[in-house]
Amino acid sequence: MAGLPFPPSFVSIMDTVNPMWLASIFSGIIMCIIVYKLTGVLSLLCFNGYGKLTKAQKIEWNNRGFSTFHAIVVASASFYLLMLSGLFDEDSHDELIINRSSDISNSVLGVSIGYFLADLAMILWYFPALGGLEYVLHHGLSVYSIILALLSGQAQIYILMILFSESTTPFVNLRWYLDVAGQKSSKLYVSNGVLLFLGWLVARIILFICFFTHMFIHFDQVKKVFPLGFYSLLSVPPVLGVMNVVWFWKIARGLIKTLSRAKNHSQ
């Protein structure tokens, strides 16, 4: 609002904006556009049924192409940063875990912001064909949280943990692809359903339990996050966690139906 200055903490954060971050966000958007186009071209060449899809199905097909690509990239990068790089090892740095970041982690967050913005734009443009209000909420909260972590350099460990949960996205998309291709009765569809269930259990249920446990153990550090970031850490992850549980329940019900149908076909 005009005449009302931003809080000093927010101004100091905005002063740290790095051109490299803007470049990574732009790269994320360009990545989505390129993979969207490539998905259409390659699918037309490699999948006979692609040309028979409706316009709406082709749009969603291509959209899920860059969704899958982003998921593989950020999940791999998050796993490296969290488990292999040593960046967040307890005793590897003098700096508090909550304040640790690197050029790689900043770039990963920037690319993800670009992806979520591009995907959100498509969801809103074609609403509700590509997803309902729950997807708008999920993407909006994701962009908000990642931007805060990127600008402040704080709580990146928690953002990367959440980004690793994107590792389930390829299984979600493959299920949709197989459904559209008329392969719901195939062994691949059943196997993918089992892997989706297990992957979701690990990456979006158990991981979130580890997330909240880590926050509880390191709450003395969490309290040192700037105010808006601190309250966001206390509010946004629980909302995402509830959404993950609801989706997990739907996945479990879908798997039960798939296994029952497969059993009936085999008899």
Side-chain angles (χ1 to χ4, degrees), residues 19-54:
M20 184 185 74
W21 303 346
L22 299 178
S24 63
I25 295 173
F26 183 71
S27 297
I29 296 174
I30 296 300
M31 174 197 75
C32 292
I33 296 173
I34 292 175
V35 177
Y36 180 90
K37 297 294 185 180
L38 282 177
T39 301
V41 172
L42 294 177
S43 297
L44 188 61
L45 294 174
C46 303
F47 177 58
N48 294 331
Y50 181 79
K52 301 176 182 178
L53 299 177
T54 65

Side-chain angles (χ1 to χ4, degrees), residues 158 161 207-217 233-234 236-239 241:
Y158 298 123
M161 289 175 72
L207 179 62
F208 265 69
I209 294 174
C210 295
F211 176 100
F212 293 120
T213 301
H214 190 281
M215 276 188 58
F216 178 78
I217 294 174
L233 267 176
L234 296 183
V236 174
V239 173

Side-chain angles (χ1 to χ4, degrees), residues 99-140:
N99 292 329
R100 296 180 193 174
S101 63
S102 68
D103 289 340
I104 296 177
S105 66
N106 289 332
S107 297
V108 171
L109 298 190
V111 168
S112 279
I113 291 172
Y115 159 73
F116 281 115
L117 288 175
D119 198 35
L120 182 59
M122 286 197 68
I123 290 174
L124 293 174
W125 183 262
Y126 294 105
F127 190 85
L130 297 179
L133 291 175
E134 68 274 16
Y135 285 90
V136 176
L137 176 62
H138 176 273
H139 282 32

Side-chain angles (χ1 to χ4, degrees), residues 39-175:
T39 301
V41 172
L42 294 177
S43 297
L44 188 61
L45 294 174
C46 303
F47 177 58
N48 294 331
Y50 181 79
K52 301 176 182 178
L53 299 177
T54 65
K55 181 179 179 181
Q57 288 176 323
K58 288 179 180 178
I59 290 172
E60 184 165 359
W61 184 288
N62 298 347
N63 174 273
R64 288 178 182 270
F66 74 71
S67 169
T68 299
F69 187 81
H70 164 264
I72 293 173
V73 170
V74 299
S76 300
S78 297
F79 180 81
Y80 167 76
L81 289 166
L82 291 169
M83 306 301 296
L84 304 177
S85 69
L87 178 61
F88 299 107
D89 288 352
E90 290 286 349
D91 302 317
S92 62
H93 301 273
D94 293 332
E95 195 171 24
L96 297 177
I97 289 178
I98 204 71
N99 292 329
R100 296 180 193 174
S101 63
S102 68
D103 289 340
I104 296 177
S105 66
N106 289 332
S107 297
V108 171
L109 298 190
V111 168
S112 279
I113 291 172
Y115 159 73
F116 281 115
L117 288 175
D119 198 35
L120 182 59
M122 286 197 68
I123 290 174
L124 293 174
W125 183 262
Y126 294 105
F127 190 85
L130 297 179
L133 291 175
E134 68 274 16
Y135 285 90
V136 176
L137 176 62
H138 176 273
H139 282 32
L141 290 176
S142 296
V143 171
Y144 166 77
S145 301
I146 298 172
I147 287 177
L148 287 185
L150 182 62
L151 291 177
S152 67
Q154 294 184 308
Q156 289 198 7
I157 182 174
Y158 298 123
I159 298 299
L160 291 169
M161 289 175 72
I162 292 177
L163 285 178
F164 179 75
S165 67
E166 287 292 307
S167 57
T168 60
T169 299
F171 301 107
V172 174
N173 290 339
L174 180 57
R175 181 177 65 173

Side-chain angles (χ1 to χ4, degrees), residues 47-50 52-53 57 61 173-190 261 265:
F47 177 58
N48 294 331
Y50 181 79
K52 301 176 182 178
L53 299 177
Q57 288 176 323
W61 184 288
N173 290 339
L174 180 57
R175 181 177 65 173
W176 184 87
Y177 284 135
L178 292 172
D179 188 6
V180 171
Q183 298 295 316
K184 290 189 70 172
S185 300
S186 66
K187 292 182 179 180
L188 179 57
Y189 187 90
V190 176
R261 185 168 57 245
H265 278 287

